[in-house]
Amino acid sequence: MKLLFSTAPLFPLALFIGCNSAPAAEEHDNSPFDDGFIRLSELEDKNPEDDVVEVSLVASVSPLEIIEGVSHDQFTYNGSVPGPLIRAQRGDTLVVHLKNELPQGTTIHWHGIRVPNGMDGVPGMTQEVVEPGEEFRYEFELLDASTFWYHPHFQTLEQVGNGLYGAVLVEDPDEEPALGKETVLAISDLSVFEDGTIQEHPHTDERRAAGREGATLLVNGHQNQRMRVKSGERLRFRVLNMARSRYLELKLDGHEFLRIGSDGGRMEAPILEATTSLVPGERVDIIFEPTGEPGTHLDLVTLPVDRGPGASTAEGPELLVRFEFVEGPSPSQVELPSLRRELELFSTSNAEEVDITLTMGAADGKLVMGINHVPWSESDPFQAIFGQPQIWNIINASAYAHPFHLHGFYFQVLDSDGNLEWPLSYKDTINVEPLQTLRLVPRFDEDRLGMWMFHCHILDHAESGMMGVLHLSDGSELPE
Ligand code: C2O
Ligand code: CU
């Protein structure tokens, strides 16, 4: 299903070798024109200090218009779905004032960000629930440049499933220029009735086993997005899958994507892909140059993905963004830089092997999901000691695919020979196919001791018990 390397690159060669006619970088026309695409609104930084970004988020019930002309009440951050984009630079300190105006408690989890344990947003474990009317201050340093996201970790199925999520873009101040016009694509789904109200899916075991998807596919909260482009214009899309269950498989006919980054920022080297896949929670950073005659259009779609029995709702490709080609000279491209990044190899020396089996079964005639056959509510923490490497064998013992997510730390993947997969990347969320075993190497870094969750990011599965906890300690408090 995943195509990592293409045999026949369609990607313009000029991208790699540069054109003879390439102008000097300073002539490069990067001036944005109104392209008709609806971008995420951005939070204003209220802190005058250079290296502090301070913003406010209000979680509340607000009227929202998903279908034009009909509004209904919806869980939102600052009145929108998705919530506003938080933009910062690597090395900045991010301060977020959360105010809870929901009729129920909430928290914020910073998906993919290496936060201190007390900032991880897991109620009853890393912080208390932020009750209605209360506030909470999140503050941490942004150690990595990448695309991340924020969402509650309380009543997650309900709160995230119904619209509480937003993106965090942490820029790299040292990044090479000319990577293309950058756009954040926050992809999610809801099921909206004709009258604008949100549809509740039946809460049956079958539907939960499959993982309920929303029928209305949204890009930055809008259906059927359009973007006017000049043929050959270089685009850089930073894509997030914030959907409750839906897998994405991005495709642009006749083109390939140059994938340069994943969850934890830029990869060791870019790879060309005919399609790019993103499971719930995952992010990618891709570069491509759509080409076409003025007046024609080209559709960026997501292809249907089979996640298991009864788990695929889409019957054909679904539109994400329609590129409409406009008159005008093709923008002259400067050569892409080499796009290499030096990444750390996560240590496997004397690693302890840990089996984490993703299980689905029935108890008393009811669906129970778990880790090693133990549902979340009955589970004991897994133990790890700072400085002692582990290899996690993620064993999918079920007929469904699961997006496995670890809080707080990145991992790398071992190939079938036991070597770290090329190109190296920093991952926090990864797909595990039915009956597949993935061998992951987490890096327990920065001495961030405490309790950290890992779970399936299909919200129905997590709620049904497919979650576990890692207790990272310095070893001193462990019984002999
Ligand atoms: Cu986005 Cu516990 O995860
Ligand atoms: Cu799952």
Side-chain angles (χ1 to χ4, degrees), residues 211-335:
R212 289 168 290 178
E213 297 185 2
T216 312
L217 188 57
L218 302 173
V219 174
N220 297 348
H222 294 268
Q223 299 185 77
N224 304 320
Q225 283 256 40
R226 273 143 217 280
M227 184 183 282
R228 288 187 286 277
V229 294
K230 293 175 186 157
S231 182
E233 191 174 355
R234 182 178 295 161
L235 303 178
R236 176 188 191 183
F237 276 16
R238 311 193 67 150
V239 193
L240 305 98
N241 186 345
M242 299 169 165
R244 51 180 91 180
S245 301
R246 181 193 287 259
Y247 279 30
L248 301 170
E249 189 81 23
L250 272 44
K251 178 155 179 61
L252 186 65
D253 259 343
H255 292 73
E256 295 189 319
F257 305 113
L258 187 68
R259 178 143 71 89
I260 63 169
S262 68
D263 299 337
R266 295 272 297 277
M267 305 185 299
E268 179 182 32
I271 50 175
L272 268 178
E273 297 182 321
T275 64
T276 288
S277 75
L278 282 122
V279 298
E282 258 188 323
R283 290 88 65 207
V284 293
D285 191 349
I286 52 175
I287 296 175
F288 57 104
E289 296 171 354
T291 48
E293 292 296 316
T296 67
H297 64 79
L298 190 60
D299 289 345
L300 175 70
V301 298
T302 180
L303 303 175
V305 180
D306 183 10
R307 299 188 284 105
S312 308
T313 47
E315 264 147 31
E318 289 177 277
L319 178 67
L320 292 168
V321 182
R322 170 161 292 179
F323 296 110
E324 297 173 336
F325 295 102
V326 296
E327 294 286 349
S330 280
S332 38
Q333 288 324 4
V334 289
E335 189 180 344

Side-chain angles (χ1 to χ4, degrees), residues 31 34 100 113 155 185 261 276 285 315 323 397 421 446 464 479:
S31 54
D34 174 25
N100 182 13
I113 302 182
Q155 316 277 43
L185 254 67
T276 288
D285 191 349
E315 264 147 31
F323 296 110
E421 228 173 52
E446 304 289 332
S464 302

Side-chain angles (χ1 to χ4, degrees), residues 247 358 360 369 400-403 456-458 461-462 466:
Y247 279 30
L358 311 176
M360 295 172 76
M369 302 196 206
Y400 291 91
H402 302 287
C456 175
H457 220 288
I458 288 177
H461 291 183
M466 198 175 279

Side-chain angles (χ1 to χ4, degrees), residues 281-467:
E282 258 188 323
R283 290 88 65 207
V284 293
D285 191 349
I286 52 175
I287 296 175
F288 57 104
E289 296 171 354
T291 48
E293 292 296 316
T296 67
H297 64 79
L298 190 60
D299 289 345
L300 175 70
V301 298
T302 180
L303 303 175
V305 180
D306 183 10
R307 299 188 284 105
S312 308
T313 47
E315 264 147 31
E318 289 177 277
L319 178 67
L320 292 168
V321 182
R322 170 161 292 179
F323 296 110
E324 297 173 336
F325 295 102
V326 296
E327 294 286 349
S330 280
S332 38
Q333 288 324 4
V334 289
E335 189 180 344
L336 269 182
S338 77
L339 297 164
R340 302 277 157 166
R341 177 188 179 198
E342 230 171 280
L343 266 70
E344 187 184 327
L345 284 159
F346 294 176
S347 171
T348 53
S349 75
N350 300 316
E352 178 193 352
E353 303 256 347
V354 179
D355 283 354
I356 295 179
T357 308
L358 311 176
T359 52
M360 295 172 76
D364 301 325
K366 276 181 53 197
L367 174 73
V368 180
M369 302 196 206
I371 307 278
N372 297 346
H373 301 282
V374 183
W376 158 248
S377 55
E378 295 159 27
S379 65
D380 292 323
F382 286 66
Q383 302 291 339
I385 296 172
F386 176 68
Q388 296 189 8
Q390 292 189 335
I391 293 173
W392 284 17
N393 299 307
I394 314 297
I395 305 154
N396 185 349
S398 79
Y400 291 91
H402 302 287
F404 180 84
H405 170 50
L406 170 64
H407 284 207
F409 303 96
Y410 295 131
F411 53 78
Q412 290 172 339
V413 186
L414 293 176
D415 64 19
S416 49
D417 298 326
N419 299 314
L420 289 170
E421 228 173 52
W422 185 92
L424 285 178
S425 62
Y426 295 155
K427 295 287 296 165
D428 55 63
T429 309
I430 195 161
N431 184 39
V432 196
E433 289 288 306
L435 305 180
Q436 183 190 21
T437 295
L438 272 188
R439 303 185 72 217
L440 309 181
V441 184
R443 177 187 60 182
F444 301 126
D445 59 288
E446 304 289 332
D447 206 358
R448 290 173 301 129
L449 308 182
M451 306 292 257
W452 299 92
M453 296 208 59
F454 54 87
H455 57 88
C456 175
H457 220 288
I458 288 177
L459 304 180
D460 272 316
H461 291 183
E463 197 200 57
S464 302
M466 198 175 279
M467 300 194 286

